[in-house]
Amino acid sequence: MASRAIGSFRRFPASKTLRCPGYICRNFAGSSALLTRTHINYGVKGDVAVVRINSPNSKVNTLNKELQSEFVEVMNEIWASDQIRSAVLISSKPGCFIAGADINMLAACKTNQEVTQISQEGQRIFEKLEKSPKPIVAAISGSCLGGGLEVGVPAAFDMMLTGRNIHADRAKKMGLVDQLVEPLGPGLKPPEERTIEYLEEVAVTFAKGLADKKISPKRDKGLVDTFYLTELTSVAMGIPFVRQQIYKKVEEKVRKQTKGLYPAPLKIIDVVKTGIEQGSDAGYLSESQKFGELAMTKESKALIGLYHGQVLCKKNKFGAPQKEVKHLAILGAGLMGAGIAQVSVDKGLKTILKDATLAGLGRGQQQVFKGLNDKVKKKALTSFERDSIFSNLTGQLDYQGFEKADMVIEAVFEDLSLKHRVLKEVEAVIPDHCVFASNTSALPINEISAVSKRPEKVIGMHYFSPVDKMQLLEIITTEKTSKDTTASAVAVGLKQGKVIIVVKDGPGFYTTRCLAPMMSEVIRILQEGVDPKKLDSLTTSFGFPVGAATLVDEVGVDVARHVAEDLGKAFGERFGGGSLDLLKQMVSKGFLGRKSGKGFYIYQEGVKSKNLNSDMDSILASLKIPPKSEVSSDEDIQYRLVTRFVNEAVMCLQEGILATPAEGDIGAVFGLGFPPCLGGPFRFVDLYGAQKIVDRLRKYEAAYGKQFTPCQLLVDHANSPNKKFYQ
Amino acid sequence: MVRALGFRPGLYPRRHAHFLSHRLRWCPRPPALLRAVELEGAKEAPRTRSGVPEDFLSQEGPGDHLVIHPLHFIDFRMTSILTYTFKNLPSTSKWALRFSVRPLSCSSQLRATPAAQTKSKKTLAKPNIRNVVVVDGVRTPFLLSGTSYKDLMPHDVARAALLGLLHRTSVPKEVVDYIIFGTVIQEVKTSNVAREAALGAGFSDKTPAHTVTMACISANQAMTTGVGLIASGQCDVVVAGGVELMSDVPIRHSRKMRKMLLDLNKAKTLGQRLSLLSKFRLNFLSPELPAVAEFSTSETMGHSADRLAAAFAVSRTEQDEYALRSHSLAKKAQDEGLLSDVVPFKVPGKDTVTKDNGIRPSSLEQMAKLKPAFIKPYGTVTAANSSFLTDGASAMLIMAEEKALAMGYKPKAYLRDFVYVSQDPKDQLLLGPTYATPKVLEKAGLTLNDVDAFEFHEAFSGQILANFKAMDSDWFAQNYMGRKTKVGLPPLEKFNTWGGSLSLGHPFGATGCRLVMAAANRLRKEGGQYGLVAACAAGGQGHAMIVEAYPK
């Protein structure tokens, strides 16, 4: 039961993190036994059956119906055969065992029952594997997630794992796997190919040993065992009262972490509870039913949608650039510039980091070093790898070496004249093919490129802070930007590991433009006397990862002011709401947010709990406006924020800033923290209903006016219920 | 007599991977017994590399400590003395024979070519560059570390080699222009061990000396540095050599402890001292052992060798067979007195050491019983198919040819073209010979067929065999070496025929000179013009040099 629970725990996240290093699918000189099967074939080496999993035309193996049925077929043959005494399961795809359940299979299901049935079939297989009379060794190389892990985990199983990273180590320590096989270097074949072969050889020897009883199948007690099955816990778990307390504690913790927005973890607790209280059969039944229910939830649809969107945004639809970027130069060693440098050097890009002052440069270099060194502390890198990665970075104060740069990303202060100056300086030293990218969150790219000699080479690359953690990159193209320049920028972004949306130029592009009206509403809500802490809890309980007031502090009050001013000018009254004076006064008092130690909250080194900045009281008091009771309930406050966001996002699609709704959803979730359980603004409209959103907007429009006027596209969707952003 | 040593193998320097044997060599044994074990051959009991029967050592003892049971020991001693007289031939010769018959993968086409047929008889002299000759070279006996040299310091062993060289060549000390030694694990007190040894050996204090380090090819670096000095006309007479004493390695205080001690040195008042001392924690005392692994990858060399063997699909049996061949050939060479570079060494307080003590031909059955030393439980590199930790030193007198002739010497060989190569220290750590061999041959305008004596450094059986497979692979040559065709395989009958590092021992800093002298002596003894010396080294580096026999 224990391992089953873990298996299902991982099943859901697995659908989100389905990922596999890009190995090309290769067919190995397989056994010829039964090549009619498409996903699985097997051969016999001595008395060991080697079952090779290899889904055709896919980079990864996923648990789908065909694979399942072929697997059952093969296993039955193995169990029936007298010659076979043990079996090895192995993937023919280097770097991927089984990545989990096939999302498309689940998405194709129309009802709970269908999913429940699939789950039960899976359970039956796993149960059979667990009770297998012949030892089965799973030889795992690379991703093994969700159901894939379950294939490995059951107690009757013994498995091995290869992988270049520490995860394999950890798995061994946890007692999940028995032996580790280190990846091999070049030999008489490509290393990946030989490594899989070697893994198979070792696994076959191991399987033979198990069948001959030369090796005992017992593992050292690892974490899994100690966690669940040490005597102490099993005794404790025998006492109903203790059990209830444990369920309660776990539930509390899960509720706190998920704010009750994600149904899966709670259902898993239910399943475990059922399993322990009523026996494993009931547990299995409950598991499959709950799994069926979960698959049909809005949250499931939203998350699956995000997964598909993410896959889409990890591709370069502009094709390969004519010249690959190998030398990168970054202007400005601030938080952003250094962050961009960090994600570039560790991908092998030769990177120049230029700043105007030695102190600024030193700070930036230290940031990059610290970022890498933190990985060393976590054992994700060796100190040697850190040093060798860090040597890709050249810090300098002049333009030496820019003549070799293939791309320059400027991350200087958000000031148009300064950006103009550096653009002209840079264009004097870079080669003709070099792309000039501007990392700006709000300044229109066409205004920046106005002074360029070659505007077709100018593009916007909007990174999000902290660059090494935030996955999104928003690329902004002007009408003059050439396709090759875009392809080049996307290629660099992908290399840096980013999820990329490409949008048209315009004030605030897409992300900043969506955020600005919401921020304006945040200020109005604060002016109406809502406490920042209350506002934060309202937004986080809606699913935002960071509270709205905290977000202003994190972004920087001065930046927020800049953006609000610029976009206010561009869009006029529609972006109004809160008073700009609030931000202005904060800036004048030096309350710039986290970076200055004070904003709405007080930030102190080493102090975790945030306290309100009491000096804000007088500012807020001076700008106080009376709340309108008809639109000030907690729910209304949440929806005032969200509907303005959503309305603006839809307007971006309407105006062609966005090319697709999927990019809009990815941008909002990965860049701005739009609640993932809602799947992004467009998915939210589809699932929640355009009519309901328009109704809400109309209600707020009545109270506040133009700022809540729903855009035409949204009204169109409300008028024809068949219209969906995702068909 | 013998007791458990409470020695934790996990902590011990396994830098050169041979820690298993190293572990075992910590058992003191009376010399008589040692000899008995040596001659005993393989039949008696499964033996480890150090000659102690394996069943004496409970490897899985409590806390992983070595435990030796004294009673067993005495017992063994009796039986071995009893059987001593009856055995005079190594029982393993048939195995050795079998090995040499058994072709290693596909060496056939190269083996088929008789060596003498394509003899070029050209010389590799270069216009306007002075010829450099080896007058002679010697070495101390190479001993398992922890045996007779264990109480010495590195410069003592180096001095013995220097004195041996002086004796062998009768070279007047004052003609020596320069002295260069290679070493790897440096004794901090004698970091320029070349100078300390030279002074002690009575060389003129006007003769400068320096020490070089390049892992297992340190002595090669010492020689080629000398070649450079002579060829460029800076010197006429150079002594090059190398030394390693693995019986004693510097073990440091932890960084924290060192920092505290250094700060204490600077502290002026009692108060400052006390405040420093108050920061002392017990974990400051945990010692820092010399690097146990490749610094850049943190991987021990044995581990890398095991992966290399797996990458080239070299089996355990192949490795054991190769190791057995090395030991059998070394034994034969030793018995026939071919190892003429060895000079006796009277160790202070101990008997005179006259020969290498690591040569122990065993049997495949017994070797097969050993557990893998690095990749457990399925690896293939064991203590028996790895070279062991060794103490020893070598020295060589090299001169400009005209100088040697003017002094009336009859040189043994020319030192000709040489190359250094380097590659990925992770996955190709030990493939140096594969890369260096074709490069040096092309540089010299020779082919594999021109070479009569191959002397390759044997770090591990698996490493040698992986190199063979790499040299014999078109795929490897095309994908990793930028060559159109494979390098080709050295014919086994010309390869390390007097044993190699696996059997003779491998004092890291001294092996290079042994390889060159073995090549030179083999050419003199067996005929032939060219010898090829090649070696791999930590850091993913490698070296090869052409040795040309001096016309008789």
Side-chain angles (χ1 to χ4, degrees):
Chain A
M1 190 55 218
S3 63
R4 184 131 314 254
I6 293 172
S8 41
F9 232 121
R10 303 205 173 184
R11 186 182 278 152
F12 206 66
S15 46
K16 255 173 45 180
T17 53
L18 242 170
R19 211 179 293 149
C20 186
Y23 282 121
I24 309 151
C25 148
R26 251 187 227 100
N27 258 311
F28 295 101
S31 58
S32 50
L34 277 165
L35 286 174
T36 46
R37 294 194 185 97
T38 51
H39 293 266
I40 290 179
N41 64 61
Y42 84 100
V44 182
K45 285 188 170 176
D47 56 5
V48 183
V50 179
V51 180
R52 298 185 184 86
I53 307 167
N54 193 4
S55 295
N57 308 321
S58 165
K59 279 183 189 170
V60 295
N61 296 321
T62 47
L63 286 176
N64 55 25
K65 282 182 185 159
E66 299 88 62
L67 192 145
Q68 280 189 4
S69 66
E70 286 183 18
F71 186 66
V72 173
E73 227 175 279
V74 166
M75 288 316 294
N76 284 337
E77 273 180 46
I78 289 172
W79 281 316
S81 163
D82 292 337
Q83 275 109 53
I84 297 170
R85 300 184 55 217
S86 58
V88 167
L89 304 186
I90 192 166
S91 160
S92 299
K93 294 188 198 302
C96 176
F97 183 65
I98 297 176
D102 185 352
I103 290 188
N104 294 327
M105 167 178 78
L106 295 182
C109 293
K110 297 265 176 333
T111 60
N112 295 358
Q113 287 74 26
E114 272 182 72
V115 182
T116 304
Q117 202 191 335
I118 290 176
S119 169
Q120 281 170 339
E121 271 165 37
Q123 286 175 345
R124 270 196 292 277
I125 301 174
F126 293 133
E127 203 182 346
K128 261 185 118 168
L129 287 177
E130 267 184 55
K131 293 181 180 150
S132 167
K134 297 175 181 176
I136 302 173
V137 175
I140 299 164
S141 158
S143 352
C144 168
L145 298 163
L149 185 70
E150 243 178 302
V151 172
V153 160
F157 263 66
D158 294 283
M159 47 192 267
M160 289 174 229
L161 213 113
T162 109
R164 199 169 279 281
N165 46 29
I166 54 159
H167 307 316
D169 271 15
R170 290 270 302 276
K172 175 124 199 291
K173 277 198 193 122
M174 284 168 68
L176 276 181
V177 298
D178 295 290
Q179 288 178 17
L180 294 183
V181 173
E182 297 261 334
L184 299 180
L188 302 175
K189 288 176 184 174
E192 307 84 42
E193 202 175 306
R194 174 63 193 147
T195 300
I196 291 248
E197 222 178 75
Y198 180 51
L199 177 66
E200 187 180 307
E201 288 165 18
V202 173
V204 166
T205 318
F206 191 52
K208 268 206 178 84
L210 284 172
D212 298 344
K213 309 259 190 276
K214 276 186 195 154
I215 306 169
S216 131
K218 278 202 184 113
R219 304 187 188 112
D220 296 339
K221 269 199 182 161
L223 205 75
V224 178
D225 291 334
T226 41
F227 185 65
Y228 282 99
L229 295 177
T230 52
E231 281 182 30
L232 191 69
T233 30
S234 56
V235 168
M237 287 299 276
I239 307 165
F241 172 73
V242 177
R243 280 208 303 269
Q244 296 308 326
Q245 288 303 310
I246 290 173
Y247 296 146
K248 219 172 114 191
K249 260 263 137 15
V250 174
E251 245 180 71
E252 243 168 55
K253 191 150 190 197
V254 167
R255 268 188 206 287
K256 206 172 158 198
Q257 276 177 1
T258 63
K259 314 259 179 217
L261 293 167
Y262 297 85
L266 292 173
K267 299 240 165 161
I268 290 166
I269 297 174
D270 274 356
V271 169
V272 176
K273 222 167 34 182
T274 315
I276 293 175
E277 302 292 333
Q278 298 164 33
S280 59
D281 285 346
Y284 284 143
L285 186 69
S286 153
E287 186 198 35
S288 61
Q289 284 167 347
K290 292 270 158 66
F291 187 62
E293 286 167 29
L294 283 172
M296 290 297 120
T297 54
K298 280 182 189 169
E299 287 81 3
S300 158
K301 296 217 154 52
L303 292 173
I304 290 177
L306 275 181
Y307 164 72
H308 284 303
Q310 197 190 4
V311 170
L312 206 70
C313 293
K314 283 270 186 191
K315 287 186 181 137
N316 191 348
K317 55 183 171 187
F318 298 88
Q322 280 166 19
K323 195 167 190 307
E324 191 195 345
V325 172
K326 286 182 177 150
H327 292 88
L328 182 69
I330 295 164
L331 300 176
L335 210 59
M336 297 302 288
I340 300 167
Q342 190 192 325
V343 297
S344 305
V345 288
D346 66 2
K347 312 301 182 317
L349 282 170
K350 291 272 170 214
T351 305
I352 294 173
L353 185 61
K354 181 198 173 302
D355 200 275
T357 66
L358 197 61
L361 179 63
R363 196 217 62 81
Q365 286 171 308
Q366 181 57 34
Q367 183 188 329
V368 177
F369 183 83
K370 185 175 178 295
L372 296 172
N373 201 38
D374 287 347
K375 288 192 182 170
V376 173
K377 285 183 189 153
K378 286 183 200 147
K379 306 227 165 122
L381 283 181
T382 66
S383 61
F384 182 80
E385 285 165 336
R386 173 200 65 204
D387 297 346
S388 116
I389 290 169
F390 195 59
S391 68
N392 285 332
L393 185 74
T394 316
Q396 59 191 50
L397 300 174
D398 56 16
Y399 285 109
Q400 190 198 333
F402 274 57
E403 69 279 359
K404 274 197 279 179
D406 302 309
M407 178 181 285
V408 175
I409 300 174
E410 68 79 13
V412 301
F413 192 70
E414 295 268 40
D415 175 79
L416 192 59
S417 60
L418 176 63
K419 300 230 181 215
H420 279 166
R421 206 185 77 215
V422 300
L423 173 56
K424 281 190 230 162
E425 276 178 18
V426 166
E427 281 195 343
V429 291
I430 54 177
D432 289 340
H433 73 273
C434 180
V435 172
F436 183 91
S438 185
N439 173 59
T440 170
S441 54
L443 293 175
I445 304 301
N446 61 42
E447 282 179 31
I448 295 174
S449 71
V451 299
S452 170
K453 286 187 288 187
R454 356 153 287 159
E456 73 280 3
K457 290 284 179 194
V458 180
I459 196 165
M461 288 174 88
H462 179 198
Y463 290 87
F464 292 76
S465 184
V467 181
D468 58 326
K469 303 252 160 41
M470 296 292 283
Q471 276 186 286
L472 189 71
L473 169 62
E474 182 181 30
I475 289 179
I476 306 106
T477 60
T478 70
E479 276 167 9
K480 290 178 182 157
T481 307
S482 72
K483 191 177 157 240
D484 187 58
T485 301
T486 313
S488 192
V490 174
V492 167
L494 288 177
K495 195 164 201 179
Q496 291 166 335
K498 297 294 170 197
V499 175
I500 295 168
I501 62 171
V502 179
V503 305
K504 283 230 175 77
D505 192 23
F509 326 126
Y510 167 65
T511 49
T512 312
R513 182 170 159 183
C514 290
L515 196 59
M518 190 173 108
M519 282 300 145
S520 179
E521 200 59 29
V522 166
I523 292 167
R524 171 153 59 200
I525 291 165
L526 290 170
Q527 281 179 289
E528 286 177 356
V530 176
D531 176 83
K533 275 198 167 164
K534 166 94 194 282
L535 179 59
D536 274 358
S537 93
L538 284 177
T539 34
T540 50
S541 65
F542 198 78
F544 282 92
V546 177
T550 309
L551 186 63
V552 178
D553 277 1
E554 295 286 342
V555 169
V557 178
D558 51 338
V559 176
R561 196 197 92 165
H562 253 285
V563 170
E565 248 174 6
D566 289 351
L567 295 190
K569 269 183 220 153
F571 294 104
E573 201 192 329
R574 199 157 54 78
F575 272 45
S579 167
L580 199 55
D581 284 341
L582 179 77
L583 296 176
K584 282 183 181 163
Q585 285 192 35
M586 285 177 80
V587 172
S588 70
K589 287 209 172 177
F591 301 154
L592 304 184
R594 178 185 280 278
K595 58 186 164 189
S596 70
K598 273 183 182 178
F600 289 109
Y601 295 94
I602 293 174
Y603 300 90
Q604 281 167 307
E605 200 68 48
V607 179
K608 269 213 165 162
S609 62
K610 280 187 301 187
N611 290 315
L612 281 175
N613 178 5
S614 55
D615 295 339
M616 282 301 298
D617 295 351
S618 60
I619 301 178
L620 284 170
S622 72
L623 293 167
K624 192 161 171 56
I625 46 175
K628 303 190 183 206
S629 58
E630 71 276 20
V631 289
S632 295
S633 72
D634 284 358
E635 198 189 56
D636 277 325
I637 288 176
Q638 289 175 328
Y639 274 96
R640 273 161 64 188
L641 295 169
V642 174
T643 51
R644 279 192 81 171
F645 189 117
V646 170
N647 192 30
E648 201 59 37
V650 176
M651 198 176 245
C652 284
L653 185 66
Q654 178 185 317
E655 289 179 4
I657 297 281
L658 277 177
T660 61
E663 283 177 294
D665 281 347
I666 292 295
V669 171
F670 287 91
L672 305 172
F674 191 88
C677 53
L678 305 181
F682 295 95
R683 181 75 61 180
F684 177 61
V685 173
D686 277 1
L687 293 174
Y688 185 79
Q691 187 60 51
K692 278 202 220 163
I693 293 173
V694 168
D695 289 348
R696 286 210 178 255
L697 280 164
R698 296 282 185 215
K699 176 178 166 193
Y700 305 138
E701 187 186 22
Y704 292 109
K706 244 180 154 178
Q707 294 134 17
F708 285 98
T709 309
C711 71
Q712 190 54 47
L713 186 58
L714 196 56
V715 174
D716 290 349
H717 272 249
N719 290 341
S720 52
N722 288 334
K723 255 188 157 170
K724 297 268 181 205
F725 291 110
Y726 294 94
Q727 289 307 328
Chain B
M1 177 179 64
V2 181
R3 41 185 294 263
L5 287 165
F7 180 70
R8 297 212 35 198
L11 281 176
Y12 203 76
R14 342 173 170 168
R15 182 179 172 70
H16 215 67
H18 329 303
F19 82 100
L20 244 190
S21 55
H22 186 78
R23 241 163 103 177
L24 304 175
R25 105 189 127 65
W26 283 71
C27 332
R29 288 164 302 159
L33 171 70
L34 189 75
R35 179 123 338 126
V37 174
E38 249 167 37
L39 295 173
E40 176 56 28
K43 279 196 174 166
E44 272 308 313
R47 284 189 300 119
T48 63
R49 300 295 311 285
S50 58
V52 177
E54 200 175 45
D55 56 354
F56 283 17
L57 311 170
S58 97
Q59 292 193 355
E60 324 280 88
D64 221 1
H65 293 183
L66 257 181
V67 182
I68 300 176
H69 311 294
L71 274 179
H72 281 193
F73 208 85
I74 294 160
D75 199 32
F76 176 76
R77 195 178 168 186
M78 304 279 283
T79 54
S80 55
I81 289 167
L82 282 176
T83 48
Y84 173 52
T85 38
F86 300 104
K87 305 200 63 85
N88 39 23
L89 260 179
S91 61
T92 50
S93 46
K94 80 173 179 227
W95 282 107
L97 221 124
R98 190 166 124 180
F99 184 78
S100 60
V101 170
R102 182 178 181 281
L104 261 175
S105 350
C106 23
S107 58
S108 44
Q109 86 274 31
L110 274 171
R111 301 159 126 256
T113 320
Q117 201 176 48
T118 50
K119 192 69 8 193
S120 56
K121 287 298 169 204
K122 64 174 175 177
T123 167
L124 300 180
K126 293 199 168 92
N128 305 323
I129 292 183
R130 299 168 96 191
N131 283 329
V132 180
V133 296
V134 178
V135 172
D136 211 340
V138 300
R139 62 181 177 92
T140 68
F142 286 177
L143 301 190
L144 296 160
S145 51
T147 56
S148 296
Y149 300 157
K150 68 175 179 179
D151 297 327
L152 300 177
M153 284 180 69
H155 71 283
D156 295 324
V157 189
R159 189 174 65 240
L162 284 173
L163 288 169
L165 185 71
L166 287 174
H167 180 75
R168 175 76 60 92
T169 61
S170 310
V171 68
K173 288 168 186 165
E174 58 281 3
V175 307
V176 176
D177 296 318
Y178 207 91
I179 298 170
I180 311 162
F181 258 63
T183 199
V184 179
I185 306 284
Q186 286 188 324
E187 163 62 53
V188 274
K189 285 181 188 164
T190 59
S191 60
N192 187 1
V193 67
R195 178 66 172 161
E196 313 307 337
L199 285 174
F203 279 87
S204 160
D205 59 6
K206 300 285 188 296
T207 304
H210 83 267
T211 302
V212 293
T213 188
M214 200 173 180
C216 308
I217 48 178
S218 296
N220 307 72
Q221 184 53 255
M223 286 183 289
T224 56
T225 304
V227 169
L229 287 173
I230 295 170
S232 63
Q234 306 305 313
C235 298
D236 290 330
V237 180
V238 173
V239 169
V243 61
E244 206 67 46
L245 189 82
M246 291 307 291
S247 292
D248 181 34
V249 292
I251 297 171
R252 300 199 293 181
H253 270 303
S254 69
R255 181 93 191 225
K256 287 173 190 159
M257 186 72 181
R258 293 190 329 253
K259 186 169 182 300
M260 196 183 78
L261 292 174
L262 289 170
D263 287 348
L264 267 179
N265 247 352
K266 288 179 202 145
K268 292 198 172 66
T269 65
L270 184 67
Q272 283 176 344
R273 286 196 193 106
L274 285 177
S275 97
L276 272 170
L277 283 173
S278 72
K279 290 184 190 131
F280 175 81
R281 298 285 174 278
L282 214 57
N283 69 3
F284 284 21
L285 288 179
S286 67
E288 208 171 85
L289 295 155
V292 296
E294 193 72 9
F295 181 75
S296 60
T297 62
S298 311
E299 187 183 20
T300 58
M301 194 180 270
H303 196 282
S304 190
D306 207 320
R307 284 195 308 116
L308 186 74
F312 284 93
V314 178
S315 72
R316 165 80 182 264
T317 319
E318 282 175 290
Q319 293 181 43
D320 285 352
E321 282 169 347
Y322 183 84
L324 183 56
R325 170 191 191 266
S326 180
H327 279 274
S328 307
L329 291 175
K331 177 82 179 136
K332 186 162 172 281
Q334 191 178 53
D335 290 349
E336 290 173 9
L338 297 173
L339 305 177
S340 60
D341 53 340
V342 177
V343 290
F345 178 11
K346 168 69 183 77
V347 182
K350 297 207 168 84
D351 290 343
T352 302
V353 181
T354 56
K355 53 184 189 174
D356 307 325
N357 71 358
I359 307 171
R360 304 162 181 283
S362 174
S363 73
L364 286 178
E365 291 76 19
Q366 284 168 27
M367 291 166 94
K369 285 179 188 160
L370 281 186
K371 285 185 178 158
F374 302 96
I375 298 187
K376 292 163 189 171
Y378 54 85
T380 52
V381 172
T382 66
N385 58 36
S386 316
S387 56
F388 49 88
L389 291 178
T390 313
D391 300 338
S394 56
M396 183 187 270
L397 180 62
I398 56 183
M399 289 192 189
E401 183 181 16
E402 69 270 19
K403 177 77 176 178
L405 296 178
M407 290 181 70
Y409 283 115
K410 177 79 183 163
K412 282 197 157 169
Y414 291 105
L415 296 182
R416 296 301 194 185
D417 295 278
F418 62 85
V419 295
Y420 287 93
V421 294
S422 59
Q423 59 283 335
D424 171 21
K426 170 114 187 124
D427 289 333
Q428 303 192 35
L429 183 69
L430 305 171
L431 286 181
T434 300
Y435 285 91
T437 299
K439 219 170 154 189
V440 79
L441 287 173
E442 271 151 33
K443 204 170 168 200
L446 299 177
T447 68
L448 272 180
N449 292 338
D450 296 322
V451 179
D452 301 302
F454 290 88
E455 277 297 328
F456 278 36
H457 162 52
E458 300 166 344
F460 303 86
S461 285
Q463 164 258 335
I464 284 287
L465 297 173
N467 272 285
F468 281 178
K469 293 205 177 186
M471 292 167 92
D472 198 31
S473 161
D474 282 325
W475 188 88
F476 188 83
Q478 283 154 7
N479 288 284
Y480 287 92
M481 301 177 70
R483 291 172 56 89
K484 288 204 179 71
T485 54
K486 61 187 177 186
V487 177
L489 206 54
L492 262 187
E493 66 272 15
K494 295 180 186 173
F495 191 87
N496 292 8
T497 50
W498 292 0
S501 298
L502 285 171
S503 45
L504 300 169
H506 171 41
F508 307 147
T511 290
C513 290
R514 179 190 66 73
L515 294 172
V516 168
M517 286 321 298
N521 289 334
R522 278 175 56 195
L523 290 174
R524 279 173 71 82
K525 174 90 184 161
E526 294 163 354
Q529 190 173 2
Y530 298 115
L532 172 65
V533 167
C536 57
Q541 311 211 74
H543 166 77
M545 178 154 69
I546 301 288
V547 178
E548 184 182 349
Y550 201 85
K552 281 181 184 167

